[in-house]
Amino acid sequence: SKTKQTEFSNPVYKKLSKINGHVNRMSLNNLIETLDNLNLNSSGKKEVLVKRLKAYYKEINLKQANVLDEKQIKKSKFDYVC
């Protein structure tokens, strides 16, 4: 039988779930270091840094999987501000 293809059936979402779990377990210092290494803003509270890093990984991985088009990127682009 055919399985229904859902919006989130692409394997990239499983990968993102693992990445998000890893980001959630990162220490504040590790978050700051990772954001600095990616040339992203590393100021703000931990929850803001977590959201910023997750948003970065989401955009990169969805682009690589050809799941995210340019309209969606512009629409969802939001750099978390403290």
Side-chain angles (χ1 to χ4, degrees):
S1 71
K2 285 185 178 180
T3 54
K4 185 180 176 191
Q5 291 290 313
T6 64
E7 183 182 347
F8 299 107
S9 62
N10 190 304
V12 72
Y13 292 104
K14 186 173 183 178
K15 180 180 177 184
L16 281 172
S17 179
K18 287 182 180 183
I19 291 170
N20 286 344
H22 176 73
V23 171
N24 287 337
R25 291 186 298 275
M26 291 173 83
S27 69
L28 179 60
N29 288 339
N30 203 302
L31 284 164
I32 291 170
E33 183 180 336
T34 303
L35 289 164
D36 282 342
N37 289 338
L38 295 169
N39 294 319
L40 297 171
N41 184 348
S42 62
S43 64
K45 295 184 182 225
K46 183 175 179 180
E47 66 185 39
V48 173
L49 303 185
V50 166
K51 286 181 181 182
R52 189 176 294 137
L53 190 54
K54 284 181 181 181
Y56 169 80
Y57 284 132
K58 180 179 179 182
E59 183 177 328
I60 294 299
N61 282 279
L62 293 181
K63 273 187 192 175
Q64 287 176 346
N66 290 319
V67 177
L68 197 60
D69 66 27
E70 290 303 316
K71 278 190 230 170
Q72 289 172 301
I73 294 168
K74 287 178 184 157
K75 195 167 124 183
S76 68
K77 194 85 168 164
F78 184 79
D79 187 28
Y80 289 91
V81 194
C82 39

